[in-house]
Amino acid sequence: MNPAGKHFALQYLREETLQSPFCPGCGNGIITNCFFKAVSDLGHDDLSKFAFVSGIGCGAWIPSPHFRADTLHTTHGRAIAFATGLKFARPELEVVVISGDGDLAAIGGNHLIHAARRNIDLTVICSNNFIYGMTGGQVGPTTFYGDRTSTTPYGNPERPFDLSRLVAAAGANYVARWTTAHPNQAARSMKTALERKGFTFIEMVSQCPTAYGRRAKTGDSTEMLKWFKNLPVRKKGEAIEHTVPTHQGMDLGVFADRHEPEFTEAMEQTFGQLGEIR
Amino acid sequence: MPERIMFTMGDIASAEGALSAGCKYFGGYPITPATEIAEWMALRMPEVGGSFVQYEDEIASITSVIGASWTGVKSMTATSGPGVSLMLEAIGLAVMTETPLVLVNIMRGGPSTGQPTRGQQGDVMQAKWGSHGDYQIIALTPASVQEMFDQTVQAFNLSERYRVPVFVLADETVGHMRERLVIPDEKDLKIEYRKLATGDPADFLPFKPDDDLIPPMALLGSKYQFYATGLTHDYRGYPTDKEDVQLELVARLNNKILHNADKIIDLERFMLDDAEIAVVAYGTPSRSARKAIKEAREAGIKAGMLRLKTVWPFPEDALADLASEVKHIIVAEQNFGQVYYMVKAAAAPTPIHLMAKPAGMPQLPHEILDKIREIDSL
């Protein structure tokens, strides 16, 4: 609470759009608070220097319509492509994509890896709940092998993506994975991501008791947070080996932390002299 | 399997219809209000020895369906407007390569994300004109849970017979309503399968049509070394930029449907024989119209309905005939006027009145009755 007796996050929210549409026990509220903690720690009193883009699904409702900022709620999977256009036109804005794992990594997976490859200066926050929550609990690209969902009623025969390893390998400047049970570490990583030039990606493992926990039998919110709390944390600089994420074997921490040239800078380097030639 | 009776929703009835038609492959992606079809297929496909795969998006879903169909497996997908928008390029490929497939579109409110859990009939023109180029497809418009079953079976039959993508265009209300469903004994169902290539592979021309304009299909994985391309192709299937080949191919792709329109078109005439005012409707609004017409008759107004169970190919002749029978035509559809323009073109100069409602709730019976009364008082 700030001195006025209001929650600190309310200064960044359109209060008239609250309550949020999230189910009781959803992790998206924690992700929202983590993000605003990072924004607040960076000294922003409002979101006037930001623009937000989201796609389709529960995660996309984190900024839309709640953030008191320029916000685009776009088509399924394409948030990063919209954001890329936005960033080119208004490079001074801090462009942030907040969406879910289905939106960013399934239908939007191509845009995700290509934006990371370009290393364009965007911050992408992925609420990863291992499921399509909004449509009622279908398997997704992050659902663990063997999990029961409404479209894998006999268990999931597919392996999940490790999103953080994927985006790190695709060339992002900063990649970290935390969970809703690690709000302080997450807020610090989000702060680093916002400060860092280039493509930055924060994977937020988040509980969905309604669509995931109920079907995959991982319990209610409290039980899921306990599960997350026990996930292993990577040591700084530890080598990134190939692993397939499992319920207990999903490591947290920083997966990429570098200062490779950012895309708009690379464009400037490539085309910058053309003006002189003319 | 013997006759079964279920109390179930339209989406599930459609999935059961597909299974009864022999569908053994479903590629899909979650989308409201069609997800229940995928969920039901995920449960049922393994039981019948078929495959269900949920893909990373709708583009992968429809293209996988085309790939499966080329091997001879009856294949389908199900989605809603935004998903169809993504599938349109591949639908053009299916048309060009004459690939049988069924696409169930449970229509929701649009444009764009619109109202996912509310119904609309906004995709009628998209189904016909959505992919680029000139082509014909077939689109069926069920109005009940039973018709979701029956017309999905019919969709597979037409798709196999004419080697063309067939849409089941159902509004969300039909997809989500629950009614009694009778699944007939499999002996009582007429199930068709595509005409297959016969003869020596050395002489085989995969895109040379028979007299019915439909080429026998060589299956991928058979002895014919099947080759298909989205490029304009000659009888051998080889790409060409010759004008005469393009003209002949496009004409045939259109005419194989248009010349058989009378065998495809499915209409219901309800209280039309002495009618002076006809309501043209399909899907959920036709259910409201039925009630409104009965009430109009009780009030002494000679009203009737022409219900479209197929919208593509469009029943132009039936509409022209209707125009000569009645004094006024009301088109009640859950959009801002799509079939209306087709009716106008076919049924002029009889006055055509649009009752548009591009909103979540369909036209209610009393609203259609009011419209009938208003027209009757003209």
Side-chain angles (χ1 to χ4, degrees):
Chain A
M1 297 280 173
N2 65 17
K6 273 190 162 186
H7 191 280
F8 86 101
L10 284 173
Q11 62 187 312
Y12 306 118
L13 289 165
R14 301 177 201 262
E15 286 190 54
E16 65 275 21
T17 66
L18 300 176
Q19 304 171 340
S20 82
F22 303 125
C23 302
C26 175
N28 283 343
I30 301 174
I31 297 173
T32 305
N33 278 339
C34 291
F35 179 73
F36 288 146
K37 174 77 165 55
V39 167
S40 173
D41 287 352
L42 285 168
H44 297 279
D45 293 329
D46 58 33
L47 298 174
S48 57
K49 293 195 164 58
F50 289 81
F52 297 90
V53 187
S54 68
I56 297 292
C58 297
W61 286 74
I62 292 175
S64 160
H66 309 107
F67 286 15
R68 191 174 292 288
D70 291 332
T71 307
L72 302 176
H73 194 158
T74 66
T75 57
H76 194 21
R78 317 298 164 196
I80 288 174
F82 283 95
T84 302
L86 207 162
K87 182 71 187 178
F88 267 115
R90 293 294 300 271
E92 76 280 12
L93 286 174
E94 192 72 66
V95 181
V96 181
V97 171
I98 306 181
S99 219
D101 51 310
D103 189 63
L104 290 166
I107 187 165
N110 207 21
H111 305 305
L112 176 66
I113 56 174
H114 285 279
R117 176 182 62 79
R118 288 189 188 100
N119 206 17
I120 184 161
D121 189 23
L122 300 176
T123 294
V124 176
I125 296 171
C126 176
S127 171
N128 178 4
N129 59 5
F130 318 120
I131 199 88
Y132 286 93
M134 185 157 283
T135 45
Q138 293 76 37
V139 70
T142 50
T143 308
F144 297 104
Y145 175 82
D147 278 350
R148 283 172 194 258
T149 73
S150 80
T151 48
T152 55
Y154 307 102
N156 181 21
E158 299 188 19
R159 299 179 302 170
F161 264 140
D162 187 318
L163 294 183
S164 288
R165 280 176 169 77
L166 174 74
V167 178
N173 260 358
Y174 183 80
V175 177
R177 172 161 58 213
W178 295 107
T179 81
T180 46
H182 301 78
N184 294 320
Q185 295 95 321
R188 276 200 296 276
S189 274
M190 288 180 190
K191 180 167 174 278
T192 306
L194 289 171
E195 287 178 300
R196 180 67 51 88
K197 288 288 262 183
F199 193 81
T200 55
F201 182 78
I202 307 295
E203 179 183 352
M204 283 298 291
V205 170
S206 176
Q207 74 279 13
C208 172
T210 308
Y212 182 79
R214 202 159 49 94
R215 294 181 195 279
K217 304 266 187 285
T218 56
D220 62 14
S221 283
T222 316
E223 287 168 284
M224 289 181 78
L225 286 168
K226 281 180 188 157
W227 159 30
F228 297 164
K229 201 88 197 161
N230 288 326
L231 290 174
V233 178
R234 293 166 48 73
K235 292 190 184 68
K236 201 166 182 244
E238 190 182 328
I240 299 175
E241 304 290 342
H242 167 73
T243 64
V244 176
T246 59
H247 281 244
Q248 303 308 330
M250 195 177 195
D251 50 351
L252 309 176
V254 177
F255 292 78
D257 189 354
R258 52 202 170 210
H259 296 267
E260 297 285 316
E262 189 273 331
F263 185 44
T264 52
E265 289 170 5
M267 293 275 278
E268 180 60 26
Q269 278 199 342
T270 308
F271 304 116
Q273 298 116 9
L274 292 180
E276 295 164 29
I277 297 164
R278 272 199 298 270
Chain B
M1 204 185 278
E3 181 181 286
R4 284 177 292 153
I5 293 172
M6 295 172 78
F7 181 72
T8 194
M9 66 164 72
D11 280 0
I12 289 173
S14 177
E16 282 295 328
L19 294 168
S20 289
C23 177
K24 286 280 163 54
Y25 179 80
F26 185 101
Y29 187 78
I31 186 166
T32 306
T35 304
E36 293 87 353
I37 302 177
E39 290 177 334
W40 196 253
M41 284 300 203
L43 199 67
R44 290 277 283 123
M45 268 299 182
E47 293 179 359
V48 301
S51 303
F52 166 89
V53 182
Q54 183 184 311
Y55 282 91
E56 57 275 17
D57 61 20
E58 286 89 349
I59 299 173
S61 303
I62 185 87
T63 46
S64 78
V65 164
I66 295 172
S69 181
W70 278 342
T71 71
V73 173
K74 289 187 180 179
S75 305
M76 76 175 296
T77 188
T79 187
S80 188
V84 179
S85 294
L86 287 172
M87 292 178 178
L88 287 170
E89 185 192 22
I91 289 166
L93 179 81
V95 167
M96 192 60 145
T97 55
E98 302 182 63
T99 308
L101 67 87
V102 172
L103 194 167
V104 181
N105 176 1
I106 309 297
M107 292 183 282
R108 68 189 222 184
S112 191
T113 315
Q115 291 189 319
T117 57
R118 306 277 183 219
Q120 203 177 329
Q121 294 176 316
D123 308 346
V124 176
M125 286 296 179
Q126 181 199 48
K128 173 64 191 74
W129 301 107
S131 200
H132 54 278
D134 281 301
Y135 62 95
Q136 300 291 326
I137 50 90
I138 297 170
L140 316 180
T141 44
S144 66
V145 170
Q146 186 66 47
E147 283 188 353
M148 285 293 277
F149 177 92
D150 296 342
Q151 293 201 269
T152 303
V153 174
Q154 187 188 3
F156 272 95
N157 286 344
L158 294 170
S159 168
E160 294 288 324
R161 194 193 309 161
Y162 298 110
R163 288 188 60 179
V164 69
V166 177
F167 281 80
V168 176
L169 272 183
D171 54 85
E172 180 273 343
T173 311
V174 172
H176 278 166
M177 67 167 62
R178 285 176 185 270
E179 289 179 325
R180 178 184 155 97
L181 168 67
V182 180
I183 300 180
D185 189 313
E186 59 187 352
K187 293 195 302 290
D188 300 328
L189 280 172
K190 181 172 167 266
I191 303 296
E192 298 184 39
Y193 190 68
R194 65 197 70 170
K195 188 168 63 181
L196 290 176
T198 53
D200 187 351
D203 308 326
F204 181 66
L205 293 170
F207 288 95
K208 183 171 188 297
D210 291 341
D211 290 342
D212 62 1
L213 301 181
I214 297 149
M217 192 162 172
L219 301 181
L220 198 148
S222 70
K223 60 186 177 181
Y224 287 95
Q225 296 190 315
F226 177 83
Y227 169 72
T229 172
L231 289 155
T232 295
H233 44 272
D234 59 20
Y235 289 167
R236 297 170 299 173
Y238 294 168
T240 173
D241 65 352
K242 287 185 183 147
E243 186 184 348
D244 59 334
V245 177
Q246 165 76 5
L247 291 177
E248 183 189 331
L249 177 62
V250 174
R252 184 174 66 74
L253 292 177
N254 281 273
N255 286 336
K256 72 175 180 180
I257 306 301
L258 296 176
H259 290 184
N260 291 301
D262 58 333
K263 298 192 196 81
I264 299 167
I265 289 166
D266 195 354
L267 305 168
E268 182 199 349
R269 288 173 60 92
F270 177 69
M271 294 189 167
L272 264 186
D273 287 347
D274 62 341
E276 292 173 354
I277 297 170
V279 179
V280 172
Y282 53 97
T284 300
S286 73
R287 299 170 68 104
S288 296
R290 193 181 301 274
K291 184 156 192 271
I293 286 161
K294 284 182 195 161
E295 287 171 8
R297 287 275 173 178
E298 281 165 21
I301 302 171
K302 290 180 175 177
M305 170 168 65
L306 183 68
R307 180 165 76 93
L308 313 184
K309 293 173 73 180
T310 55
V311 286
W312 304 114
F314 194 74
E316 290 157 16
D317 294 346
L319 264 302
D321 292 346
L322 182 71
S324 66
E325 292 172 44
V326 300
K327 292 180 182 154
H328 291 273
I329 294 175
I330 298 167
V331 180
E333 51 184 338
Q334 229 183 321
N335 55 41
F336 220 66
Q338 296 198 12
V339 157
Y340 165 69
Y341 291 101
M342 298 301 296
V343 174
K344 249 182 132 173
T350 301
I352 319 290
H353 309 273
L354 173 63
M355 208 186 155
K357 198 172 180 190
M361 187 68 82
Q363 291 87 343
L364 298 174
H366 71 85
E367 293 169 336
I368 296 182
L369 181 61
D370 287 348
K371 187 74 179 176
I372 291 171
R373 285 182 193 280
E374 177 197 321
I375 301 298
D376 185 57
S377 68
L378 290 177

